[in-house]
Amino acid sequence: TCAALALLGGSVAALGLWKWLGKKRIQKKMEEARRTRDEGMKKMAKAVQQFREQVPSVQRDAILSLPLLELSGRLQEGSLSPRTVLYTYLEKVSALEVTQQTNCLRHFIPECEEQLQEIERRKEKGLLYGIPISIKDHIGHKGHLATCGLTQCLDTVMEEDSVLVKVLKKQGAIPFAMTNVPQSLFSYECSNPIFGQTLNPLDPQRSPGGSSGGEGALIAGGGSILGMGSDMGGSIRLPSSFCGLCGLKPTAERLRGVGWALAHPSAQCGCLLLSHAVPCALGPMARDVDSLALCMKALLCQEMFQLDPSVPPIPFNEEVYSSSAPLRVGYYDTDGYFPLPPCMRRAVKETRSALQAAGHQLVPFSPPRIPYVMNELFMKTFFADGGRAFVDVFTGNIVDPGLKPQVNSCKMPRLVKKLLALLLKPLQFLLLLQLKDVAIISTRRSVQEMWDHHHQIQVYRSQVISQWQELQLDVVLCPVLGPAFTTGYPRKLLGAISSTMLYNVLNFPAGVVPVSTVTEADEEELKLYKGCCDDPWDRTLKQAVSGAVGMPVAVQCVALPWQEELCLRFMKEVETLSRGR
């Protein structure tokens, strides 16, 4: 008995030592990653200083204030050099004006100097000639990590550029920075244990949104003029809304070529970004709609179609984007699932009135069965295996506080999940409290169930398209979640993103345009906000957005699949009218 107890005690001690050593290894890898980032920043600052000594007379503020189209024109005609523009933006970033305030940068890309020299040697200038561009953490760049905020991805460096980066470089763009993301990308609060929390440059007490939150913060802070993000539940549109930017989520298959999954199997983040039922979309983020259109025009080129034959060879249709024909616009200011703050509904109403006054035809539109979309179609896509793949992603990882509720609920024994699912079923229509997500991930699904699930998504898409066509709509105007939440609140309100999630399930192109700011009157009206039923989740939303006077207020613009140009044209109309107001 004594020997058995001694053996047991020794085994427990050995297990404890093994876990402790594992945590120490993880901590060491994280510290090394942060040190590498800091050293890269120092190299950037040194290169900028050398440039300033060589060319002391650069009009920095004038260059930073140029819209992308004007900057591109100056670069194309030669009145500005790519070197001057690149180092002007590098100086903005390296001076810590943006990065220190927001912690948005994951890594500086020193190879930007090589790309600069490459485009200077070329005879032909691409559409993005000399434009500095930032890219989201998981978009593969040769010689760099694609981490998704996960420690197991800190060992493997990308061996080649992703297709997207290759096409950007072919068009003359200069990738110069990679931006921070939430751990696993499955969050709209931008935080991970390796590189920390990213904050909103417009108010450091607030979140920039996610998962493309680093991009949103860098562009809104003036450190980048154009960025590439990805969107599977609102990850381009939410940061654009929170940070006052324009962002486009295209039809998922219109752009391809992330490349990050090649680096490390676990970099796939379980099943989160590889679902065929609700696919991930790549898209641009910028300060205005014309910038998004230029980026899409540059990317939808022969180089993209040759490098990735799975991308349909459909070039950008300039005629559609430039059209001034009146539009037939469907609209709604609430989806009936998660009532948004008064300022976001006001934005839709004011934009609707402005469109009507400009000669467009406005038609009420109501997307059907949003609770069904959220509870059955969206969540069950991601947790079809009972959450096992999601949990596996965090094996050996330090879990970010913002994801602990989801991870812990996935780790519950199946019997406990089933019991909770049964008890909470009467309340499942809300799907806002993290515990209620247990009902969604309670059981693994069979192959037959998954086939049925995919079929249900296709049926729902067909129903919405039929409703759209019966009303003879060109586009739809609708709300987007906002204004920016106080940090810590996105993790408490997963169900609040129904406004963006819907168009990932439908795989429709959707974009966000800032049209206003929060007013004192909005704040007063917020005090009377009751939401759906004045329950804890409605009160949590109220707390999340309170005190946001002056923060951006946006609307969402939507078109049918493959009609990105029409979506952008509608976004441009909304932008023009809002600026006119």
Side-chain angles (χ1 to χ4, degrees):
T1 305
C2 291
L5 287 172
L7 182 61
L8 180 62
S11 299
V12 170
L15 181 62
L17 178 62
W18 180 78
K19 285 186 174 181
W20 180 80
L21 289 172
K23 285 185 178 179
K24 292 293 286 184
R25 281 195 297 269
I26 291 172
Q27 290 288 353
K28 188 176 180 181
K29 285 166 69 174
M30 290 165 60
E31 288 167 8
E32 179 62 30
R34 288 191 286 266
R35 187 161 53 250
T36 301
R37 176 185 64 173
D38 295 343
E39 287 171 359
M41 291 291 290
K42 289 176 184 176
K43 288 179 183 176
M44 184 201 297
K46 187 177 179 181
V48 167
Q49 182 60 35
Q50 289 174 346
F51 176 76
R52 293 293 284 172
E53 290 170 0
Q54 295 167 2
V55 190
S57 59
V58 171
Q59 299 296 311
R60 176 175 171 265
D61 290 341
I63 292 171
L64 291 172
S65 67
L66 289 174
L68 180 58
L69 254 60
E70 192 174 340
L71 177 64
S72 176
R74 298 277 295 274
L75 285 162
Q76 294 282 349
E77 71 186 19
S79 61
L80 275 177
S81 73
R83 183 171 296 274
T84 298
V85 173
L86 174 63
Y87 278 95
T88 297
Y89 273 93
L90 288 180
E91 183 179 10
K92 176 73 173 177
V93 176
S94 66
L96 302 180
E97 295 173 21
V98 183
T99 51
Q100 191 174 55
Q101 183 189 11
T102 66
N103 187 39
C104 58
L105 201 68
R106 201 216 76 195
H107 209 283
F108 163 57
I109 302 176
E111 294 86 351
C112 64
E113 177 65 34
E114 296 173 18
Q115 172 65 2
L116 174 64
Q117 294 170 7
E118 166 66 24
I119 66 167
E120 287 176 334
R121 288 192 295 267
R122 288 183 197 165
K123 293 181 180 178
E124 292 184 11
K125 297 178 180 179
L127 287 175
L128 297 175
Y129 173 73
I131 301 296
I133 187 167
S134 50
I135 58 176
K136 188 175 179 177
D137 162 281
H138 71 98
I139 296 174
H141 190 291
K142 184 178 179 180
H144 290 269
L145 301 167
T147 73
C148 298
L150 298 164
T151 56
Q152 71 259 44
C153 301
L154 292 175
D155 296 323
T156 310
V157 172
M158 296 296 297
E159 295 180 2
E160 63 175 318
D161 287 334
S162 59
V163 169
L164 188 76
V165 170
K166 286 178 181 177
V167 176
L168 288 169
K169 288 182 175 180
K170 180 72 174 178
Q171 288 285 17
I174 306 174
F176 74 99
M178 304 187 82
T179 52
N180 202 29
V181 293
Q183 189 178 33
S184 82
L185 311 187
F186 194 66
S187 172
Y188 65 107
E189 181 161 35
C190 194
S191 174
N192 66 73
I194 307 169
F195 302 106
Q197 173 96 45
T198 298
L199 303 173
N200 194 313
L202 307 179
D203 180 352
Q205 302 301 313
R206 296 184 180 274
S207 169
S211 61
S212 307
E215 280 301 315
L218 184 61
I219 299 168
S224 177
I225 196 167
L226 180 64
M228 292 302 303
S230 62
D231 191 311
M232 200 170 183
S235 295
I236 287 172
R237 289 161 291 159
L238 293 172
S240 296
S241 172
F242 283 20
C243 296
L245 302 174
C246 296
L248 175 70
K249 178 204 81 68
T251 310
E253 297 79 9
R254 192 85 194 260
L255 294 177
R256 290 278 181 86
V258 183
W260 52 282
L262 302 174
H264 196 289
S266 59
Q268 295 172 6
C269 299
C271 60
L272 295 185
L273 289 176
L274 293 179
S275 167
H276 296 294
V278 182
C280 177
L282 297 170
M285 299 168 66
R287 301 175 202 164
D288 56 53
V289 178
D290 278 338
S291 300
L292 306 180
L294 177 63
C295 184
M296 290 297 291
K297 187 176 180 180
L299 289 171
L300 295 173
C301 65
Q302 210 52 43
E303 185 82 4
M304 171 68 79
F305 307 144
Q306 288 173 354
L307 287 170
D308 190 345
S310 68
V311 175
I314 310 171
F316 189 83
N317 191 328
E318 183 66 39
E319 185 179 346
V320 172
Y321 179 62
S322 303
S323 172
S324 57
L327 296 169
R328 187 171 167 86
V329 182
Y331 71 90
Y332 61 94
D333 63 13
T334 180
D335 62 14
Y337 180 78
F338 201 119
L340 297 181
C343 61
M344 308 313 288
R345 300 181 73 170
R346 170 179 63 82
V348 173
K349 291 172 183 176
E350 290 180 354
T351 303
R352 181 195 72 195
S353 298
L355 287 165
Q356 212 154 17
H360 301 285
Q361 191 174 1
L362 277 292
V363 180
F365 176 75
S366 182
R369 299 185 294 156
I370 302 301
Y372 167 75
V373 175
M374 287 288 292
N375 300 2
E376 295 294 323
L377 301 186
F378 189 86
M379 287 300 180
K380 286 189 177 179
T381 294
F382 294 103
F383 299 111
D385 61 352
R388 182 172 180 177
F390 183 66
V391 171
D392 287 348
V393 165
F394 297 95
T395 303
N397 263 291
I398 296 172
V399 180
D400 190 81
L403 283 170
K404 279 186 177 177
Q406 290 98 318
V407 174
N408 290 338
S409 66
C410 287
K411 286 182 176 178
M412 287 181 186
R414 291 182 67 189
L415 187 60
V416 175
K417 289 181 189 177
K418 285 185 175 182
L419 182 60
L420 277 171
L422 186 65
L423 292 172
L424 294 171
K425 196 169 185 180
L427 300 174
Q428 192 178 349
F429 75 97
L430 290 170
L431 187 60
L432 304 179
L433 181 62
Q434 297 299 343
L435 276 175
K436 289 176 190 168
D437 295 345
V438 175
I440 298 304
I441 58 174
S442 58
T443 56
R444 296 179 193 175
R445 314 190 91 192
S446 68
V447 173
Q448 181 60 49
E449 286 173 328
M450 282 308 300
W451 280 117
D452 291 343
H453 180 72
H454 280 240
H455 176 68
Q456 288 165 11
I457 290 176
Q458 293 302 324
V459 168
Y460 182 77
R461 285 175 181 160
S462 297
Q463 288 174 348
V464 174
I465 289 171
S466 295
Q467 183 180 340
W468 188 299
Q469 291 174 333
E470 284 170 12
L471 293 171
Q472 298 181 316
L473 303 179
D474 295 310
V475 289
V476 162
L477 171 72
C478 57
V480 62
L481 182 62
F485 283 14
T486 300
T487 53
Y489 277 91
R491 70 189 68 167
K492 301 174 184 178
L493 291 163
L494 178 60
I497 61 174
S498 59
S499 60
T500 50
M501 273 188 182
L502 172 64
Y503 295 105
N504 294 96
V505 172
L506 290 170
N507 197 16
F508 287 10
V512 161
V513 184
V515 295
S516 183
T517 56
V518 180
T519 65
E520 293 286 357
D522 291 326
E523 279 292 295
E524 288 301 312
E525 197 171 346
L526 182 64
K527 293 175 182 177
L528 305 175
Y529 171 86
K530 300 293 184 183
C532 181
C533 22
D534 198 23
D535 57 25
W537 308 285
D538 292 324
R539 291 193 287 273
T540 300
L541 178 69
K542 194 172 178 177
Q543 294 164 7
V545 301
S546 65
V549 172
M551 293 300 288
V553 171
V555 295
Q556 186 171 203
C557 304
V558 187
L560 289 174
W562 308 107
Q563 295 187 10
E564 281 70 25
E565 296 88 344
L566 181 58
C567 185
L568 286 164
R569 184 256 150 127
F570 181 41
M571 291 170 68
K572 177 68 177 175
E573 181 75 1
V574 168
E575 178 185 62
T576 302
L577 293 172
S578 68
R579 289 180 177 180
R581 290 204 308 276

